[in-house]
Amino acid sequence: MIGSLLYLTASRPDILFSVCLCARFQACPKESHLHAVKRILKYLAYTPTLGLWYPRQSSFDLHTYSDADFGGYKVDRKSTSDTCQFLGNMLISWFSKKQNSVALSTTEAEYIAAGSCCAQVMWMKQQLLDYGFTFEKVPIRCDNTNAICLGKNLVDHSRTKHIDIRYHFIKDHIEKGGIKLVSVPTEEQVADIFTKPLDEQTFSKFRRELGLCEIE
């Protein structure tokens, strides 16, 4: 059941967080996990015509969202990173993944997520370059101002030296002009749909902004 749902997330990003969370318990599932999976299946049965829409008249500007749920996984207190990338209004890439280490602050969790997003953006820029499209200062929208300041200026070493050095490459790309970190209000952070459960109104709002609509 989990394998089939993971396959379906390629066209239904609205179930990505729920499916990935259930997938963490595949090794030793309990009855409660089975009930959770059945709820996902009921949701899919209720929304069979939802799909991603790619309008022809959309712009071709590359922009991204990055977010993290600090300590949201109650089993080992690891945070969840999630990002989504758009070309204009068209969603072209998304992922939700538990971080490898326990973050000691919200800033660290958000900064690690932004680093993962930066790596994805660099790969996408290289792929699009093969088709003749060049992008500079691709915005990565983050709702944590401390993480944005950390990416722009790594002066406060006493508080940041414990963060693995591989995540600091984002500062190098900011200085080169490849990307830029942009602040976005939490209520407009589309990537929230990949990090934690949301109320129905917020979930429906972000689902529409991802480009999911009724396709007959």
Side-chain angles (χ1 to χ4, degrees), residues 21-85:
L21 186 60
C22 291
R24 298 173 186 175
F25 300 95
Q26 285 187 96
C28 187
K30 297 181 180 179
E31 189 174 350
S32 59
H33 304 133
L34 179 60
H35 289 321
V37 173
K38 287 183 177 179
R39 288 191 65 182
I40 299 175
L41 294 174
K42 288 180 181 179
Y43 167 73
L44 291 171
Y46 180 70
T47 57
T49 58
L50 272 183
L52 286 171
W53 177 252
Y54 295 95
R56 180 183 299 179
Q57 66 274 17
S58 175
S59 62
F60 213 72
D61 298 324
L62 181 62
H63 60 101
T64 71
Y65 290 87
S66 170
D67 195 24
D69 182 23
F70 173 56
Y73 189 47
K74 304 301 181 183
V75 177
D76 55 13
R77 305 305 294 181
K78 290 182 179 179
S79 305
T80 301
S81 297
D82 67 278
T83 69
C84 53
Q85 289 76 34

Side-chain angles (χ1 to χ4, degrees), residues 173-185:
H173 288 294
I174 291 175
E175 292 176 348
K176 291 178 179 177
I179 64 165
K180 62 178 180 179
L181 293 177
V182 180
S183 179
V184 63

Side-chain angles (χ1 to χ4, degrees), residues 109-168:
E110 295 272 3
Y111 188 61
I112 291 173
S116 300
C117 184
C118 178
Q120 180 71 2
V121 169
M122 292 300 106
W123 178 82
M124 293 178 67
K125 286 179 62 177
Q126 186 60 43
Q127 296 298 311
L128 290 167
L129 185 62
D130 294 340
Y131 294 94
F133 296 99
T134 304
F135 298 94
E136 296 297 334
K137 294 188 176 181
V138 177
I140 297 178
R141 293 179 168 85
C142 176
D143 60 1
N144 188 285
T145 54
N146 289 332
I148 294 175
C149 292
L150 182 60
K152 293 179 178 179
N153 185 11
L154 295 175
V155 172
D156 197 5
H157 295 289
S158 62
R159 295 185 180 182
T160 62
K161 63 182 180 181
H162 64 283
I163 302 177
D164 197 300
I165 193 170
R166 70 177 181 272
Y167 297 114
H168 286 301

Side-chain angles (χ1 to χ4, degrees), residues 1-8 19 26:
M1 294 167 71
I2 291 293
S4 299
L5 289 172
L6 284 172
Y7 178 78
L8 188 59
V19 174
Q26 285 187 96

